[in-house]
Amino acid sequence: YILCLYWVIFQEEIEACAELLEEKARRLPPEAKRLLICPIFAALPAAQQMLVFEPTPADARKVILATNIAETSITVSGVRHVVDP
């Protein structure tokens, strides 16, 4: 399932948040499900944007980082938590 969908305003915020989450994910215990961090914003190549819609692997929890523009233009099923600061 998708652990979290996080709305932000700028691409730079997404990139910074993704970097922070990747750093934190490397320190998770080996038995923890891995974090699959999926950014989505207009300047991202289409192939990378589509990863948001792929099923989450059983050994992972997906975190989607999206600009607020995507908030009104996409629907992602399976989201358990939404963070809209």
Side-chain angles (χ1 to χ4, degrees):
Y1 67 90
I2 299 170
L3 173 64
C4 183
L5 176 57
Y6 183 73
W7 299 117
V8 294
I9 297 173
F10 301 107
Q11 174 183 333
E12 294 80 14
E13 290 177 293
I14 289 175
E15 292 167 343
C17 189
E19 189 175 307
L20 179 65
L21 286 171
E22 287 168 4
E23 179 183 314
K24 300 273 185 200
R26 286 191 288 274
R27 291 186 266 157
L28 290 173
E31 65 275 4
K33 288 189 175 191
R34 65 187 175 97
L35 286 182
L36 182 59
I37 301 160
C38 297
I40 186 164
F41 49 87
L44 196 66
Q48 285 181 278
Q49 289 182 18
M50 294 310 293
L51 293 176
V52 167
F53 303 102
E54 294 292 320
T56 305
D59 68 336
R61 291 188 179 191
K62 188 183 290 184
V63 177
I64 299 171
L65 305 171
T67 59
N68 58 357
I69 293 171
E71 184 174 8
T72 58
S73 61
I74 64 171
T75 300
V76 180
S77 60
V79 174
R80 299 268 176 112
H81 304 280
V82 175
V83 178
D84 191 357

